[in-house]
Structure formats: C-alpha cells, structure tokens
Amino acid sequence: MASPRANVREASNYPWEKPEAAPKGYRRLTQIEFDVANMRVTGAVDKGIGEILLSIQAPDSSEYPVHLDHYRFAAIMKISILDDYHDTLRTLKAFSKLAGHEVKIWNDHVQEVDALAERLKDAEALVLIRERTKIRAPLLERLPKLKLISQRSVYPHIDVDACTRLGIVLSSNQHFGMPSYATAELTWGLVISAMREIPRQMASLKAGNWQTGVGSTMRGKTLGIFGYGRIGAVVAGYGKAFGMKVLVWAREASRLRAREDGYAAAPSKEAFFEECDVISLHMRLVDATRGIVTARDLARMKPTALIVNTSRAPLIEPGALVAALKAGRPGKAAVDVYEEEPLRDTGHPLLNMDNASCTPHLGYVTREDHEIAFAEIFEQINAYVAGKAINVVNPEALEKARNLRLS
C-alpha cells in the first residue's frame, strides 16, 4: 500500500557547471552545487541563492570547507533509493555525498515486479535500505541500465548470482568491526518494557484506571544470549550491568569468546532454554540459522520467561512462537521483526496477544545509525564511479560488466 506522502522525491543535478573540460561522462562539481545540495539537506533552501553566493570562498582559502572539493571530477549517475518511509535520507549530513548525481527517493513500499521495473527502468545505481525490498532475477533482468546495488550488511534479499550474470556489482559493507548499538539498545528497552509490562500499564492509565498487575525485576535472573556476536556481546554487557547472570548459547567459537569475556556458556541447547528467564536472539539469518529456534525449544522455557527477537523472524520455526505463547511457555515475547514486512495486517496474531510486545522493526532505525550506514553506502557509489569499487560481494561482476561494455 502506498504511503500517503508523495511516492517519489527527486534531487537533480544543478545547472551551474565550470567550463573546464572533463572526461567523457564526467564533469566538475562547483561549490555552488555543493552549497545548494547542503542547503537542501538541511532544509535551508529558502535562504536563497544570494546567501550561497556570499558564502563562496576562493579555493586557496585556509577556511575552504574540506568536503567542498573544488577540483573533484564526478560522474553523473542516476540513483534510485527505495523504501525511505519517512523521507529521512535527504536530511542526513551523509546525503551530501550524492551531490551532483540525479537521485530519486521512493517513500512507499512496492514489491510487485512490474511496478519496480517501471520505477527503476532508468536507474544506474540502486540504494537499498536493509532487506525491505527483495531484488530477484525477474526484476534484475528488466533493468538493463543498472550497474550497481549499494547497501549495508547481509543480503539474503538479493539474487547475487543474477547480479553477477548481468554484470551488476553488489557493494555491501559488512561492518564487521562495529555492532549496531541502536539494535542493542532497543533490545534492552523491550526487555524492560515486557518485564515491567509497560504497554499494559500505559493502556490502563489512558483508560482511566491505575495499576494493573505486577511486573518483574531483572536483577538476579538469568539472561540468555543466543548468538554471541557483536550485538549479543553488547546486550550481555547490559544484562551484567543490571545484575543478571548471563548465559550464552552459540557456535563453539562464539561460546569460547563468551567465556573469555567472563560469561558462562550453557552445557547444551536444552539446558539453555530451560534455565534462562530472558532469552534474546542475536544471529544473522542464513540457511543454517533459519528455524534454529524450534517449537520444542520454546516449550522448554519457563512460564514466567521472556523471549526477545530483534534479529530476524525466520530464526524461529514458522508458527512456533504464536503457538508457544498460547500454550504459556514462554509466558511473554517481545518482537521487532516479522516474516513479512512492512506488517500492516492488524489481524496478525502477535499484535492481538496480551503477552506479546511488538514494535515495527525499529532496531537500526535511528538517525545516528543512518548517518553511519548511509555514509558508507553513498561512498560505495562514489568509489564505483571513481573506478575503485569497494566492499564488492561479487567481484566477477566487475569483469562481466567490463566485457559487456566492450562487446
């Protein structure tokens, strides 16, 4: 379903160009272009072109802004950005990295191949926001101008083989050195919210009532971390700070790392689910982890226990969580991810259960995380333009694209 706001916003190249010759398909970006782009990013367009002109400094000025590279060549690429629900990206500082390119930003969500093919028919570079839209062969084969897909993190939603066959480069920074603190923080917010039953207490107060029921504290209880990676390690630290015993279940190498960090590892998966009062899932979705949490696992949990999933819905066996909550083991769930997103079905079982706290995939959705992620995503585009593609998932596509150009 389309968003009530305009489906597409455009940020076109600005007409002021320096007269110097540039390589074919390239031109210089003027300072005016950069200033206009920056003003669009900050919403200050109404200040007028006069203020821009007054701000121009000579290239040899010591105060010349570093990000306004007076002599940089830049290729003009037609870039499409999908699923920017709140039209946030143009308000980021990182958006200035796309100055000089032609950019279309789509604010609604569309998955139908025909509609996407029409929208993206002129796109040379495609920016994806995580896994919001599936990019498969039937769509890719209808995008003859597409050269690059730029995104961040894992890519189960992209047909990499089809990209390679068609000479489309996939650049995706895996950001191995940095956890998503935003996701870790949301995870802990959901733990507190569910344990203290905050949504139910708020609803009671808004209905004209006072307290309803009694929540639980975390101190002294056991926090289970299923998947001890970057985010899992951060959440484990939060649990420790709240006085919880931390128990880890993961691959052997990850359990060893958890022990080195001072946390206990469960003797078995069965013991892990039986002992923990709170279990938080922190794994990437790959074939080996799909359905890794089974109905049998959930049935081992305490009736007072809470399971939290801010990773990916398919980590849990299909239908198992709803059935387990109805059966009372575990007693509660806090969920930020779903099988189909965006979730607009108000009849979805989880949205209608008193023992489920649900949020609309907010884990990484903060301005700070967006600044980091899209600075990298946009830089991948500029690197490709400069002939020095980075974070390439399918390097074979570079050679394929070269052969297609020469043929």
Side-chain angles (χ1 to χ4, degrees):
M1 182 181 296
S3 165
R5 66 174 64 84
N7 290 343
V8 61
R9 311 289 178 89
E10 298 193 27
S12 300
N13 290 297
Y14 304 105
W16 306 284
E17 298 190 17
K18 298 179 73 66
E20 293 91 331
K24 184 178 180 181
Y26 289 72
R27 64 176 173 79
R28 294 180 186 276
L29 301 183
T30 67
Q31 184 171 346
I32 291 175
E33 282 185 293
F34 274 118
D35 280 336
V36 171
N38 288 339
M39 288 177 74
R40 288 209 172 194
V41 168
T42 59
V45 175
D46 58 347
K47 289 183 179 179
I49 194 68
E51 289 192 31
I52 303 176
L53 293 171
L54 290 173
S55 73
I56 295 179
Q57 300 168 315
D60 56 356
S61 168
S62 61
E63 295 181 1
Y64 193 71
V66 175
H67 70 289
L68 302 182
D69 185 351
H70 207 67
Y71 292 105
R72 190 176 78 183
F73 282 124
I76 303 168
M77 288 199 82
K78 294 183 177 181
I79 302 169
S80 285
I81 302 175
L82 298 179
D83 299 304
D84 183 13
Y85 300 150
H86 310 295
D87 203 30
T88 302
L89 298 192
R90 72 181 64 252
T91 70
L92 302 177
K93 293 178 181 178
F95 192 72
S96 63
K97 289 180 178 288
L98 297 185
H101 296 296
E102 293 183 10
V103 183
K104 285 187 177 181
I105 302 176
W106 299 89
N107 303 132
D108 59 348
H109 174 76
V110 171
Q111 187 58 68
E112 292 78 12
V113 171
D114 288 345
L116 286 171
E118 176 62 26
R119 287 186 174 190
L120 304 177
K121 63 184 179 182
D122 295 321
E124 296 171 309
L126 175 61
V127 171
L128 301 179
I129 301 180
R130 300 299 287 257
E131 299 152 49
R132 291 179 177 179
T133 297
K134 296 179 178 65
I135 307 297
R136 307 296 191 201
L139 173 61
L140 293 168
E141 289 167 355
R142 295 174 63 179
L143 304 177
K145 297 182 181 180
L146 188 62
K147 303 173 183 176
L148 172 70
I149 298 175
S150 187
Q151 62 141 56
R152 193 174 192 248
S153 196
V154 294
Y155 37 87
H157 53 304
I158 300 174
D159 188 334
V160 179
D161 290 339
C163 286
T164 303
R165 172 169 54 83
L166 296 167
I168 300 168
V169 174
L170 171 59
S171 285
S172 186
N173 189 344
Q174 300 301 296
H175 56 97
F176 290 114
M178 180 185 295
S180 171
Y181 291 104
T183 301
E185 289 171 2
L186 180 74
T187 299
W188 201 249
L190 287 173
V191 171
I192 294 175
S193 178
M195 294 291 281
R196 297 300 300 270
E197 301 181 350
I198 291 175
R200 189 155 69 102
Q201 299 289 356
M202 289 175 63
S204 176
L205 188 61
K206 289 180 178 180
N209 301 313
W210 194 230
Q211 299 172 2
T212 173
V214 178
S216 300
T217 58
M218 280 81 75
R219 191 171 192 83
K221 292 186 172 63
T222 299
L223 169 65
I225 303 294
F226 195 167
Y228 191 77
R230 292 164 298 174
I231 298 175
V234 174
V235 175
Y238 295 163
K240 182 179 180 180
F242 272 71
M244 300 184 77
K245 173 188 173 183
V246 177
L247 190 63
V248 173
W249 183 251
R251 296 175 300 174
E252 179 56 39
S254 297
R255 297 202 301 272
L256 176 60
R257 190 166 63 252
R259 292 190 190 98
E260 291 173 348
D261 290 344
Y263 301 119
S268 66
K269 186 183 180 186
E270 292 78 11
F272 175 79
F273 276 91
E274 290 170 357
E275 184 174 342
C276 293
D277 298 292
V278 177
I279 289 178
S280 190
L281 307 182
H282 297 289
M283 288 164 285
R284 291 188 172 190
L285 180 62
V286 296
D287 289 343
T289 61
R290 188 177 294 273
I292 195 169
V293 177
T294 67
R296 182 173 296 182
D297 294 327
L298 296 174
R300 295 180 186 278
M301 295 181 71
K302 302 173 184 177
T304 55
L306 164 70
I307 188 164
V308 182
N309 190 1
T310 56
S311 294
R312 293 293 182 270
L315 294 175
I316 301 177
E317 181 183 336
L321 181 57
V322 169
L325 290 172
K326 289 179 178 179
R329 287 180 179 265
K332 301 175 183 177
V335 175
D336 188 48
V337 288
Y338 308 90
E339 295 282 352
E340 295 293 333
E341 297 184 8
L343 175 61
R344 295 196 177 96
D345 179 10
T346 57
H348 190 286
L350 288 175
L351 302 184
N352 293 279
M353 302 181 80
D354 291 336
N355 55 348
S357 299
C358 301
T359 50
H361 205 157
L362 298 176
Y364 63 93
V365 184
T366 67
R367 182 165 296 275
E368 293 79 6
D369 254 34
H370 274 8
E371 286 285 8
I372 294 169
F374 287 97
E376 295 174 353
I377 290 170
F378 298 154
E379 192 55 44
Q380 288 172 171
I381 295 175
N382 291 332
Y384 176 89
V385 166
K388 299 179 180 179
I390 58 176
N391 304 319
V392 176
V393 173
N394 56 340
E396 302 90 347
L398 289 169
E399 183 63 24
K400 180 74 173 180
R402 178 178 179 275
N403 292 337
L404 286 173
R405 288 194 297 270
L406 294 175
S407 61

